[in-house]
Amino acid sequence: MMLNMTLKELKPGDRARVTRINCQGALKRRIMDMGVTKGVELLVRKLAPLGDPMEINLRGYELTIRKQECEAIEVEMIERKGKRS
Amino acid sequence: MIRIALAGNPNSGKTTLFNVLTGSNQYVGNWPGVTVEKKEGCLKGNKEIVIQDLPGIYSLSPYTPEEVVTRTYLIHEKPNAILNIVDASSLERNLYLTSQLLELDIPVVVALNMMDVVEKQNERIDLQELSKRLGCPVFGMSAANNDGIEAASKAVVRLVLENKKPIPSTFSEEVESALDQIEQLLPIQEQARWYAIKAFENDEKVFAELSLEDSVRGQISKIREQLETKLDDDSESIITDGRYNWVAKILRGVYEKPYKHAMTTSDKIDHFVTNRWLALPLFVIIMGLVYYLALSTVGTYMTDWVNDVFIAQWCQGGMRAFLESVHASDQVISLVVDGIIGGIGAPLGFVPQMAMIFLCLSFLEDCGYMSRIAFIMDRIFRRFGLSGKSFISFMVSTGCGVPGIMSARTIKDERDRRMTMIVTTSMPCGAKLPVISLFAGAIFGNDGGWWIAWATYVFGIIAIILSALVLKHTKMFAGESSPFIMELPAYHLPKMKNVLRQTWQRCWHFLKKAGTILFVCCVITWALVSYGFGPDGFGLVQEVDQSLLAAIGSFIAPIFTPLGWGNWQATAAGLSGFVAKEQIVSTIGVLANVADDTGLDPQLWQAVGVMFPSAAAAMSFLLFNLLDAPCLGAISTLAKEMNSHKWTAFAIGWQMFYAYSISLVVYQLWTWFATGMFGLWTIIAIGVVTFYLFMIVKPMNKVSPKQATK
């Protein structure tokens, strides 16, 4: 069984699928407008030199998003860096 | 007249296309949000067709100013057709916007831009099938290479004549039936589907516009709530999800991409540029290099030549010889040679250095490094109530404060945006470069050069951080920082043509200013210096101390005594900086009467030496002019962007206060350490330091719960 986790907890190289977006209003709309919707697959590319924000790859492009906002994005792991789960 | 709107995601190449279509020279860069205003132009060779460049948007949501500008234009001014620019290298996200444009009941042509990039990555797009599924013409092109543009623009015109409406995107059955019901309820015919979707999404702006009866609104709410409960999601998310599902369906079989793609060039570059350990040092080195190139090598050879040969020997020498040969009066010779050529020539000599800075910045902006800087710097700047995006403004301000202030528009949060605009002009802009160069030379002699300029750049950043920190601790700017969600565009090698054109535009703007505003100012300054109340009443004066400028300067000068430069010459030079920062150098040039000598710089250095008795005073003058309110051009942009007299006044007031206090501290403490002089103003300077420290250390203002929920 998959545990609920958020995008914030993922490490560079992890691949995951979005299951839920836990925020409201303008922020939620903005996140979703950028293509982070339920069911979309994403790959964590890297963290900025100071550990925040995060760079993710989804829908064929690179998106940067702060960890604070990542907390609102629930995901399920597809592939941990290097190995399938 | 036919009106065609260019719409598309930020950084999809709309402005490049706009420039090609209209033959104009709009500002292009490789970071999302370069175009913040809509711009109009006629199609090259056809005055009847007007092209409208709209700001780049990801969606037609009602939340950001650019999106509102675009959707208001599309809905209310109904262009004859929309040319939808789609970045073919990220099709999915781009077609999400297309799905919204197709609902507007306006003919749409989809232009897939950056096809060259797509082909290079071995991806395949079936344009014919895509066109069939979207129900509108689709063209592949590359705006940067000027490839396939004509076919697309011709198609738009044809489409307008046919007035062929697009087929809107579709949602799931449940959603469609809800939208149908809402459409029946709305008292409108045109663009009904768009309004129905917005009403379903509970878009307040649309409701305000429709002014529906309460009963109708109630019915719509009921339809919405029913579906929300059934699908266990809010209406906006249902629609967004639906759109992305539609895009996925459209692209199935149309868009092929090699399954495991190799590392792209962008990835490889990013491996270094945003590397954990290398990113920050690399940034420092890159900026150092920019200043080294501009102020120590290429730029300086050229500047020396312009100053020593072109202006001093050719212009001034030649003009003096000519005027003497025609027996012009001394007064005329003085006006032309000392006043006009000496005054305008002083900052003009720095044009080559400026051109180098502009060239480097254009390159950095165009290649995609700007967004990486935002990515790298966000963590640092968030602490000070700014975001990584603010840093793009700061970088742009290194060229000129006007586009710097404008680019703050990409910052979504009002508070962050205002703060960015208030602090961004602290960066040493192109026009401040002559001032920096002159003072660096005067204070530190010949070997000052590039590293002083680079140091002022670093100082600019530190000054911004301190200023932001203090502001952040006031009630006005208290609160959580706004979200930071930004696209990182792929790197591309800038087109030389584009970079050179931008550099030329900025230099040309500067030269034009020299020919107009600076010219007038130099004549006025010369007149104010040459005329005054001498022993024989009003007239030409022999001693500058008797001049009008001396009288005006002396009146204001005492204000600056605590900063170490309370003499009328320095005050006059400082005041003239509000017209344009390079005017400071002009004024010093006129005052120093750099007439018939070769070697402009050492002359000006001497002038600085006379005006400023100590290095501390010269430094305090330089800092004051770096940090104070910007030139008139930037102030008027600031006023326009703030759109509030109160905020504009606050911004200028704060900038003046900040500049004054920092200069005071530097001058007083420097003098205290150097000479041991201790007085009332030293105590005040220490007081100022304590005040700033207190502002930084004291806990942030708590946000009231009411504000927090907003």
Side-chain angles (χ1 to χ4, degrees):
Chain A
M1 207 29 221
M2 208 71 221
L3 281 169
N4 270 353
M5 59 192 309
T6 67
L7 184 53
K8 190 185 166 191
E9 297 157 52
L10 298 188
K11 303 261 173 317
D14 289 350
R15 202 175 271 283
R17 187 178 293 116
V18 174
T19 51
R20 202 184 156 78
I21 294 158
N22 274 327
C23 54
Q24 260 120 45
L27 178 61
K28 181 170 190 182
R29 176 68 186 253
R30 176 121 181 97
I31 290 176
M32 293 190 73
D33 276 346
M34 297 307 284
V36 184
T37 56
K38 233 186 284 179
V40 75
E41 270 186 46
L42 49 84
L43 164 72
V44 178
R45 267 297 165 86
K46 62 163 59 137
L47 299 175
L50 298 166
D52 194 14
M54 200 181 240
E55 179 183 340
I56 58 176
N57 177 289
L58 79 159
R59 298 189 190 274
Y61 83 103
E62 311 287 318
L63 180 73
T64 153
I65 183 167
R66 275 192 197 143
K67 282 192 166 168
Q68 198 181 344
E69 277 86 62
C70 289
E71 249 179 337
I73 302 170
E74 275 180 31
V75 294
E76 58 180 16
M77 184 80 81
I78 303 174
E79 191 182 340
R80 234 178 232 297
K81 192 187 177 179
K83 64 174 185 205
R84 287 187 179 272
S85 77
Chain B
M1 200 175 69
I2 297 173
R3 283 175 308 132
I4 296 168
L6 295 185
N9 278 187
N11 210 34
S12 58
K14 288 177 304 302
T15 305
T16 310
L17 181 67
F18 180 80
N19 284 344
V20 175
L21 288 176
T22 61
S24 73
N25 283 324
Q26 294 294 346
Y27 185 38
V28 186
N30 186 11
W31 39 281
V34 182
T35 307
V36 284
E37 274 184 320
K38 51 187 172 110
K39 294 184 203 99
E40 265 185 6
C42 290
L43 185 68
K44 240 195 300 192
N46 192 340
K47 289 261 172 297
E48 281 300 290
I49 299 175
V50 175
I51 312 277
Q52 178 91 50
D53 187 15
L54 296 168
I57 47 168
Y58 293 106
S59 168
L60 292 177
S61 89
Y63 295 118
T64 72
E66 295 101 330
E67 289 174 348
V68 174
V69 166
T70 306
R71 76 180 214 174
T72 313
Y73 176 80
L74 293 174
I75 292 292
H76 295 286
E77 297 184 36
K78 289 195 197 94
N80 299 81
I82 299 171
L83 183 52
N84 177 205
I85 322 296
V86 164
D87 176 356
S89 60
S90 58
L91 260 185
E92 269 184 82
R93 203 203 54 229
N94 277 263
L95 288 181
Y96 170 71
L97 176 68
T98 309
S99 81
Q100 303 181 49
L101 296 175
L102 291 173
E103 280 152 12
L104 298 172
D105 245 0
I106 300 169
V108 175
V109 170
V110 172
L112 295 185
N113 195 13
M114 312 196 196
M115 283 302 273
D116 50 328
V117 180
V118 172
E119 275 158 28
K120 234 179 260 166
Q121 287 171 3
N122 282 324
E123 297 173 3
R124 210 157 296 142
I125 302 170
D126 184 344
L127 296 182
Q128 257 178 339
E129 184 58 28
L130 184 61
S131 166
K132 216 165 93 191
R133 293 190 190 176
L134 287 175
C136 68
V138 175
F139 289 88
M141 63 176 211
S142 164
N145 297 328
N146 202 348
D147 192 23
I149 290 174
E150 215 171 291
S153 62
K154 276 197 181 131
V156 184
V157 177
R158 209 166 1 172
L159 200 68
V160 172
L161 299 176
E162 291 167 13
N163 196 18
K164 192 175 161 229
K165 299 282 167 62
I167 312 160
S169 55
T170 46
F171 300 93
S172 68
E173 238 169 82
E174 297 149 308
V175 180
E176 284 295 335
S177 94
L179 291 177
D180 277 345
Q181 288 173 43
I182 293 173
E183 214 173 311
Q184 304 291 324
L185 291 169
L186 296 177
I188 40 167
Q189 299 300 319
E190 275 184 51
Q191 298 176 316
R193 186 174 169 86
W194 189 81
Y195 279 105
I197 293 172
K198 292 295 147 188
F200 178 69
E201 285 181 321
N202 207 8
D203 188 320
E204 282 303 327
K205 285 210 165 68
V206 162
F207 276 122
E209 193 188 310
L210 289 173
S211 54
L212 297 174
E213 283 167 44
D214 283 349
S215 66
V216 177
R217 250 196 106 152
Q219 277 174 289
I220 294 174
S221 296
K222 225 170 111 197
I223 297 171
R224 180 190 316 120
E225 277 154 23
Q226 264 174 3
L227 201 58
E228 281 180 336
T229 331
K230 196 170 164 203
L231 299 176
D232 185 29
D233 214 340
D234 60 280
S235 58
E236 269 187 293
S237 306
I238 293 171
I239 293 290
T240 312
D241 265 336
R243 288 188 199 285
Y244 270 111
N245 289 337
W246 175 80
V247 172
K249 214 169 69 195
I250 293 274
L251 286 179
R252 212 163 292 147
V254 166
Y255 173 56
E256 264 177 69
K257 124 184 203 183
Y259 179 65
K260 258 256 155 90
H261 73 272
M263 284 243 288
T264 61
T265 323
S266 263
D267 296 341
K268 284 181 202 153
I269 298 173
D270 259 349
H271 198 67
F272 290 101
V273 168
T274 58
N275 178 287
R276 222 180 161 149
W277 307 108
L278 292 177
L280 285 168
L282 213 59
F283 169 70
V284 174
I285 292 170
I286 289 175
M287 287 321 290
L289 203 67
V290 168
Y291 280 91
Y292 181 73
L293 275 177
L295 284 138
S296 193
T297 55
V298 193
T300 301
Y301 299 143
M302 293 290 292
T303 288
D304 285 349
W305 182 83
V306 173
N307 278 340
D308 299 346
V309 182
F310 182 72
I311 293 171
Q313 285 178 20
W314 296 4
C315 295
Q316 286 187 313
M319 188 52 96
R320 180 180 294 275
F322 168 75
L323 290 174
E324 277 167 0
S325 74
V326 296
H327 305 291
S329 68
D330 285 351
Q331 206 174 329
V332 172
I333 295 180
S334 165
L335 169 65
V336 174
V337 177
D338 301 342
I340 297 174
I341 304 181
I344 297 177
L348 217 55
F350 294 95
V351 167
Q353 293 186 346
M354 257 183 260
M356 276 311 288
I357 292 264
F358 291 152
L359 189 75
C360 296
L361 278 181
S362 296
F363 187 87
L364 289 181
E365 278 175 35
D366 224 19
C367 73
Y369 187 53
M370 285 291 181
S371 352
R372 268 69 186 189
I373 293 178
F375 175 66
I376 296 166
M377 294 292 180
D378 180 67
R379 184 72 188 80
I380 302 177
F381 280 84
R382 190 176 56 187
R383 296 184 154 210
F384 314 128
L386 300 163
S387 82
K389 281 185 191 159
S390 314
F391 206 79
I392 295 183
S393 288
F394 304 155
M395 289 286 291
V396 175
S397 294
T398 331
C400 176
V402 173
I405 293 168
M406 302 265 290
S407 66
R409 273 209 208 167
T410 55
I411 298 163
K412 305 292 173 229
D413 183 82
E414 227 9 53
R415 213 175 32 196
D416 286 17
R417 193 173 73 92
R418 284 198 190 112
M419 173 109 93
T420 305
M421 289 194 288
I422 293 172
V423 297
T424 193
T425 46
S426 293
M427 290 308 275
C429 70
K432 285 175 188 166
L433 210 58
V435 188
I436 296 165
S437 244
L438 173 63
F439 278 76
I443 301 172
F444 299 98
N446 251 331
D447 31 76
W450 68 273
W451 65 268
I452 299 282
W454 186 82
T456 55
Y457 180 84
V458 176
F459 169 79
I461 295 175
I462 296 171
I464 281 177
I465 291 178
L466 179 65
S467 177
L469 261 179
V470 172
L471 289 174
K472 188 73 194 163
H473 282 81
T474 62
K475 234 190 193 127
M476 273 181 287
F477 288 100
E480 281 291 302
S481 55
S482 61
F484 176 72
I485 304 168
M486 194 184 72
E487 179 193 354
L488 290 175
Y491 287 99
H492 65 75
L493 198 64
K495 290 266 169 282
M496 224 37 221
K497 207 177 101 191
N498 204 349
V499 170
L500 288 177
R501 189 171 59 193
Q502 257 174 57
T503 308
W504 165 245
Q505 267 175 356
R506 289 176 174 181
C507 290
W508 177 235
H509 171 77
F510 183 80
L511 290 171
K512 262 197 310 209
K513 212 165 57 172
T516 51
I517 302 172
L518 290 199
F519 179 84
V520 173
C521 282
C522 285
V523 173
I524 294 173
T525 311
W526 175 85
L528 287 175
V529 172
S530 304
Y531 289 87
F533 295 96
D536 319 319
F538 187 78
L540 271 179
V541 286
Q542 291 301 315
E543 299 293 322
V544 280
D545 286 343
Q546 295 163 349
S547 68
L548 280 175
L549 192 65
I552 299 167
S554 309
F555 182 69
I556 306 170
I559 300 175
F560 299 110
T561 306
L563 307 190
W565 39 282
N567 60 53
W568 69 265
Q569 291 97 328
T571 305
L575 285 180
S576 65
F578 289 108
V579 177
K581 293 293 168 191
E582 66 272 27
Q583 176 67 32
I584 294 169
V585 179
S586 270
T587 307
I588 295 176
V590 175
L591 287 174
N593 261 336
V594 284
D596 45 359
D597 294 280
T598 52
L600 189 63
D601 265 358
Q603 275 295 315
L604 281 175
W605 291 1
Q606 278 170 23
V608 172
V610 173
M611 276 182 209
F612 304 98
S614 67
M619 187 53 103
S620 123
F621 179 82
L622 178 61
L623 294 186
F624 183 83
N625 283 295
L626 285 178
L627 300 179
D628 68 351
C631 64
L632 284 177
I635 289 177
S636 66
T637 310
L638 184 73
K640 209 172 87 200
E641 293 296 306
M642 284 284 188
N643 201 13
S644 142
H645 294 305
K646 208 185 83 197
W647 275 106
T648 312
F650 172 79
I652 293 167
W654 166 251
Q655 286 162 345
M656 295 307 286
F657 173 79
Y658 187 59
Y660 192 92
S661 60
I662 296 290
S663 300
L664 178 76
V665 168
V666 167
Y667 175 71
Q668 291 297 337
L669 296 188
W670 186 330
T671 315
W672 181 29
F673 289 129
T675 66
M677 258 167 44
F678 192 92
L680 175 64
W681 284 103
T682 325
I683 298 169
I684 293 176
I686 294 169
V688 170
V689 174
T690 322
F691 168 72
Y692 279 142
L693 282 179
F694 168 74
M695 284 304 280
I696 294 168
V697 177
K698 85 169 187 158
M700 296 264 180
N701 270 301
K702 286 263 165 53
V703 191
S704 65
K706 202 173 145 202
Q707 251 179 314
T709 52
K710 213 162 82 178

